[in-house]
Amino acid sequence: MRVLVVEDEPRLAQMVRRGLELEGFVVVTAATGPDGLWHATEESFDVIVLDIMLPGISGYQFVREIRARQNWTPILILTAKDGEYDEADAFDLGADDYLTKPFSYVVLVARLRALVRRGAPTRPVVLTAGNLSLDPGRRRVTRGTEELQLTRREFGLLEYLMRNPDTALTKSEILQNVWDANYTGDENVVEVYVGYLRRKIDTPFGTRTIDTVRGVGYRLTTGSPDSPPPPEA
């Protein structure tokens, strides 16, 4: 899941980022209200973590502006302002949850996952492609009745592909959504991990799920699970 963290305290922003990344989130940070608003409107996120006291525009203005643009990405306010009127104002403007500092990472992660589940009702609880199933909440992947063991990165890659079925995705799109928006390494790492995935979800079952789209990238197909396995990436 992609998370936008809008927080002007560099140390706290990095702590939140590291903590969320350890939980499998892809995190983008912004240090000012205008920068955060730009990311929120120009990119796609599953949830936004937002401070109230920000340079440029406040968190309240941020919420008002993004909702005025018909952007309904779930927003969790993370702030030191713990007054009941502050909280009421945030909800009145369109925020979805409110957590005061200091906070528990366990609670923050649980609330973010809950917001994503509530904020994306059109997404299936369990993603499927043929007899391949991925349960984001339980972090479980099965082929038929057999459970597959994937690493965190492999799981994230498969989830992104399954959320965009039958769509040709470029390596740069995959890197931005599964690795990190600021990733500057070799794009061929995607090829390597597609190979890993194929060896786990396809090769043992004689199936073909991930196609290579020449000159573009990769596509997860939702057709027959009995297709022959693809060549290695």
Side-chain angles (χ1 to χ4, degrees), residues 33-138:
D35 284 348
L37 189 60
W38 183 89
H39 282 289
T41 54
E42 296 297 321
E43 301 178 49
S44 176
F45 295 93
D46 295 286
V47 66
I48 297 169
V49 177
L50 177 69
D51 193 8
I52 290 179
M53 304 301 291
L54 292 167
I57 62 172
S58 71
Y60 295 129
Q61 292 172 290
F62 181 107
V63 176
R64 183 186 296 111
E65 179 65 24
I66 196 173
R67 295 306 187 227
R69 300 184 189 189
Q70 303 295 302
N71 184 322
W72 306 113
T73 303
I75 297 174
L76 182 147
I77 300 292
L78 183 64
T79 178
K81 295 174 71 68
D82 59 357
E84 60 183 9
Y85 289 106
D86 297 313
E87 186 171 348
D89 286 343
F91 283 122
D92 286 343
L93 288 169
D96 300 276
D97 203 351
Y98 196 100
L99 188 62
T100 57
K101 305 171 185 175
F103 61 92
S104 161
Y105 275 104
V106 173
V107 173
L108 174 61
V109 170
R111 290 193 175 191
L112 291 179
R113 293 194 186 282
L115 282 178
V116 170
R117 288 195 299 270
R118 294 200 304 266
T122 59
R123 291 182 177 179
V125 175
V126 177
L127 305 171
T128 61
N131 67 352
L132 179 69
S133 298
L134 182 146
D135 186 332
R138 299 171 63 190

Side-chain angles (χ1 to χ4, degrees), residues 10-225:
R11 183 178 178 184
L12 179 59
Q14 289 308 308
M15 288 176 60
V16 172
R17 177 176 186 159
R18 287 196 297 269
L20 294 180
E21 286 178 341
L22 288 174
E23 295 293 331
F25 292 87
V26 174
V27 182
V28 174
T29 59
T32 70
D35 284 348
L37 189 60
W38 183 89
H39 282 289
T41 54
E42 296 297 321
E43 301 178 49
S44 176
F45 295 93
D46 295 286
V47 66
I48 297 169
V49 177
L50 177 69
D51 193 8
I52 290 179
M53 304 301 291
L54 292 167
I57 62 172
S58 71
Y60 295 129
Q61 292 172 290
F62 181 107
V63 176
R64 183 186 296 111
E65 179 65 24
I66 196 173
R67 295 306 187 227
R69 300 184 189 189
Q70 303 295 302
N71 184 322
W72 306 113
T73 303
I75 297 174
L76 182 147
I77 300 292
L78 183 64
T79 178
K81 295 174 71 68
D82 59 357
E84 60 183 9
Y85 289 106
D86 297 313
E87 186 171 348
D89 286 343
F91 283 122
D92 286 343
L93 288 169
D96 300 276
D97 203 351
Y98 196 100
L99 188 62
T100 57
K101 305 171 185 175
F103 61 92
S104 161
Y105 275 104
V106 173
V107 173
L108 174 61
V109 170
R111 290 193 175 191
L112 291 179
R113 293 194 186 282
L115 282 178
V116 170
R117 288 195 299 270
R118 294 200 304 266
T122 59
R123 291 182 177 179
V125 175
V126 177
L127 305 171
T128 61
N131 67 352
L132 179 69
S133 298
L134 182 146
D135 186 332
R138 299 171 63 190
R139 299 193 68 79
R140 185 169 181 260
V141 177
T142 58
R143 169 72 80 181
T145 59
E146 184 171 341
E147 185 167 354
L148 309 181
Q149 300 301 319
L150 304 185
T151 66
R152 182 171 64 87
R153 188 72 73 192
E154 291 165 353
F155 187 95
L157 174 57
L158 181 59
E159 181 178 2
Y160 182 61
L161 292 171
M162 293 184 76
R163 288 196 184 279
N164 297 274
D166 300 310
T167 302
L169 301 168
T170 66
K171 289 181 180 179
S172 61
E173 287 174 325
I174 293 172
L175 285 172
Q176 184 178 31
N177 285 275
V178 180
W179 269 255
D180 188 288
N182 300 312
Y183 178 82
T184 58
D186 192 340
E187 283 192 346
N188 286 332
V189 69
V190 176
E191 187 175 310
V192 172
Y193 273 86
V194 167
Y196 292 159
L197 262 185
R198 284 171 170 166
R199 286 193 283 273
K200 290 185 177 181
I201 70 173
D202 280 329
T203 302
F205 306 96
T207 55
R208 174 174 179 157
T209 305
I210 304 173
D211 287 333
T212 299
V213 182
R214 300 292 181 186
V216 180
Y218 299 96
R219 175 178 56 221
L220 183 135
T221 60
T222 56
S224 170

